Amino acid sequence: MLENDIERVLVSQQEIEAVAEKLGKLITKDYQDKTPIFLGILKGCLPFMAELMKHLDIYMDVELMAVQSYHGGIESTGDVKITRDMDIPVKDRDIIIAEDIVDTARTINVIKNLLLHRGAKSVEVVTLLDKPEGRIKSFDPKYIGVTIPPEFVVGFGLDYEEKYRNLPFVGILKPDIYEGLSEEENHG
Ligand code: PRP
């Protein structure tokens, strides 16, 4: 079972559901008179985006972008690559970016700057997890679900070598799962 690879649950399924409901209500209130683009950053955003959407009682467009930064290892390499772009123009639109985690904040800075450069009216971020101690670039997401310590986490969208995204909670992987990898593999 997938759960056997997990040392400890950090954010339970129940907590995630409560967080999504709380953030959904806040965003609904803030965007009542707007029709934003709700933009998910693949692939990690998927479970949280779906959970949060249930609680957004507003007119909105749903869009997806794919960006890669970790390349399967446990630490960010600093490379941010857009592998799938949005389908509709963002000029003069309010955008809410949905993320699973803001860590170094390299990814979110690149995306936010790109959207502003394309003429977006506003760009805000909702993230399930915030890891402020991981920051390399400064960034303050407007809507934060849970602030976590600087540990490598998987589940609810977050992967280790593309696995564990389908866990219904966020947890810390047992070290022996990634120990034994070479230094190079460890850093993606
Ligand atoms: C993860 C996550 C964020 C980003 C956060 O995506 O979903 O987009 O890294 O890290 P940062 O703040 O250090 O930039 P990843 O590139 O691993 O792709 P994935 O969502 O497909 O797993």
Side-chain angles (χ1 to χ4, degrees), residues 14-90:
Q14 223 179 5
E15 279 177 80
I16 294 172
E17 284 168 11
V19 152
E21 188 176 347
K22 192 187 84 183
L23 293 175
K25 281 185 179 153
L26 256 177
I27 295 171
T28 295
K29 196 163 127 268
D30 291 353
Y31 286 82
Q32 207 43 244
D33 305 320
K34 298 176 175 136
T35 303
I37 297 175
F38 187 53
L39 172 64
I41 309 301
L42 293 168
K43 302 171 196 167
C45 69
L46 285 174
F48 180 55
M49 192 178 186
E51 189 63 42
L52 182 60
M53 270 168 79
K54 300 187 219 167
H55 304 286
L56 296 178
D57 189 10
I58 48 174
Y59 293 104
M60 63 181 199
D61 293 293
V62 176
E63 281 287 311
L64 294 165
M65 246 174 120
V67 174
Q68 265 176 351
S69 63
Y70 277 32
H71 307 295
I74 67 163
E75 284 184 33
S76 179
T77 59
D79 295 323
V80 177
K81 194 170 78 179
I82 293 169
T83 53
R84 182 209 188 275
D85 211 334
M86 298 167 64
D87 292 327
I88 60 172
V90 300

Side-chain angles (χ1 to χ4, degrees), residues 41-44 67-70 76 99-108 157 159 165:
I41 309 301
L42 293 168
K43 302 171 196 167
V67 174
Q68 265 176 351
S69 63
Y70 277 32
S76 179
E99 268 286 23
D100 50 343
I101 187 167
V102 177
D103 183 358
T104 66
R106 279 179 176 133
T107 310
I108 205 65
D159 72 304
R165 295 191 197 274

